[in-house]
Amino acid sequence: MTREGSYHVQSIGSNVEIEIKRLQAQVELFWPNELKHYREFGLSDGMSVVELGAGPGFMIDKIAERFPRCQLTALEVDPLLVEYAKNYLTQKNRQDCRVIQGSIMATGLAENSFDFALIRMVLEHLPDIEGAIREVLRILKPGGKAVFVDNDFEMHIMTYPHIPELRELYDAYCQARSNEGGSPKIGRELPVLLKKGGFSRVDFDVVSAHSDIVGDEMFFRSEGIGIPSKLVTEGYLSSKTLGKISVGWRNMVKNKDHAIIRQIYLAAGEKKR
């Protein structure tokens, strides 16, 4: 979540509180499968862990719950989200989680400080991706691991029965974010970018969520109408197309055999010892 690129919580959707709730649902949607991958990529209890671009604090809270002995730092550039994260984590009694305001481009954190770094849905919004990756590498300890998680809007929500107009929605979203300096199809590029940034032992995987496993409601909450409505307001998407998507979505969920699937992309790398 950053003011430095194509994501601004105050303006990306139609309402800040609705957008924050969407972000929370997006964490919930993938968390069980993400957790498996984070453990596979090296996350364990007792580590010093930093999340860069921590937003409202929902993901760092999940990590605190599963790994209670970790020393946790959440860095976020947007002061609104910093304040939200502090309040949220205080309510969850996460006293050992440090929340600080700062940029992933120049964190101000000490070199060789962390065992594990998580950068989730951040690179896709940044104009200087390689600079951000190098900064993550700098603050990791030798042998430390980083996991970068991002979207690729060439493949976002897919449904059965198929809703063809979703392609127009994602094309409009990609155009809007690209115009703001983002890279909405970055998922496929992650391994190459990590190697360019100096990471070794790079790994890559795809995490999926399916409505028949997590339920429809999780998808409804993690998508919402806020961003599509803003795309219509800004002229990237026609109201007619959005109307067709709404009708198609309603008809799709009425089908007893319907399915909704979404995927995100994970790349992990290690700092050389």
Side-chain angles (χ1 to χ4, degrees):
M1 318 303 170
T2 174
R3 289 181 178 275
E4 298 164 296
S6 65
Y7 184 92
H8 308 146
V9 71
Q10 295 93 336
S11 60
I12 194 166
S14 56
N15 179 282
V16 172
E17 282 301 318
I18 290 174
E19 172 61 9
I20 288 176
K21 289 179 180 178
R22 187 189 70 83
L23 295 175
Q24 185 171 23
Q26 187 175 250
V27 169
E28 298 286 349
L29 180 67
F30 292 107
W31 171 244
N33 279 341
E34 279 189 73
L35 175 61
K36 295 175 189 176
H37 285 78
Y38 296 155
R39 283 177 166 152
E40 179 184 337
F41 291 146
L43 179 58
S44 63
D45 213 1
M47 284 183 163
S48 55
V49 178
V50 61
E51 184 185 6
L52 303 163
F58 301 132
M59 179 56 74
I60 204 77
D61 173 57
K62 291 286 191 186
I63 294 173
E65 181 178 29
R66 291 297 183 127
F67 304 94
R69 294 189 298 109
C70 281
Q71 299 84 52
L72 301 173
T73 298
L75 181 135
E76 170 57 46
V77 70
D78 189 320
L80 185 153
L81 294 176
V82 169
E83 191 62 26
Y84 191 101
K86 287 180 177 179
N87 292 335
Y88 179 77
L89 294 167
T90 296
Q91 291 170 12
K92 298 298 290 287
N93 200 30
R94 308 296 188 204
Q95 293 105 333
D96 295 334
C97 183
R98 176 176 58 148
V99 181
I100 56 177
Q101 185 175 352
S103 168
I104 190 174
M105 304 309 305
T107 64
L109 299 169
E111 189 173 354
N112 302 326
S113 295
F114 296 96
D115 299 304
F116 192 91
L118 175 61
I119 307 90
R120 189 178 189 273
M121 313 298 191
V122 175
L123 293 187
E124 63 189 87
H125 297 295
L126 298 177
D128 182 9
I129 293 165
E130 290 189 28
I133 292 172
R134 287 193 297 270
E135 176 65 1
V136 175
L137 188 71
R138 185 189 69 81
I139 65 174
L140 280 176
K141 297 176 183 177
K145 301 284 186 65
V147 177
F148 296 79
V149 183
D150 270 294
N151 288 297
D152 189 321
F153 276 86
E154 192 67 36
M155 292 178 62
H156 193 60
I157 288 283
M158 296 184 290
T159 66
Y160 174 81
H162 179 53
I163 304 172
E165 290 82 11
L166 284 176
R167 181 69 268 152
E168 294 180 58
L169 171 61
Y170 301 140
D171 286 346
Y173 179 85
C174 288
Q175 188 63 59
R177 299 292 82 82
S178 296
N179 287 351
E180 295 168 347
S183 301
K185 299 181 182 180
I186 197 175
R188 70 193 74 179
E189 301 177 53
L190 289 174
V192 174
L193 291 169
L194 264 63
K195 289 179 180 179
K196 284 184 177 179
F199 279 92
S200 63
R201 301 182 65 185
V202 173
D203 203 349
F204 180 77
D205 216 331
V206 180
V207 173
S208 298
H210 194 289
S211 59
D212 204 51
I213 296 172
V214 303
D216 290 345
E217 183 61 29
M218 196 77 78
F219 281 92
F220 299 159
R221 292 194 292 114
S222 68
E223 293 300 312
I225 196 66
I227 292 176
S229 296
K230 195 66 180 294
L231 292 171
V232 171
T233 301
E234 294 176 344
Y236 290 101
L237 183 71
S238 73
S239 57
K240 182 178 179 180
T241 297
L242 184 55
K244 287 182 179 180
I245 292 170
S246 298
V247 172
W249 192 269
R250 288 197 297 270
N251 291 337
M252 179 269 296
V253 297
K254 288 178 183 177
N255 185 308
K256 66 180 180 64
D257 296 321
H258 75 273
I260 312 169
I261 185 173
R262 183 183 163 188
Q263 51 281 309
I264 52 176
Y265 303 82
L266 285 73
E270 181 178 307
K271 183 173 181 175
K272 293 178 182 178
R273 298 178 186 273

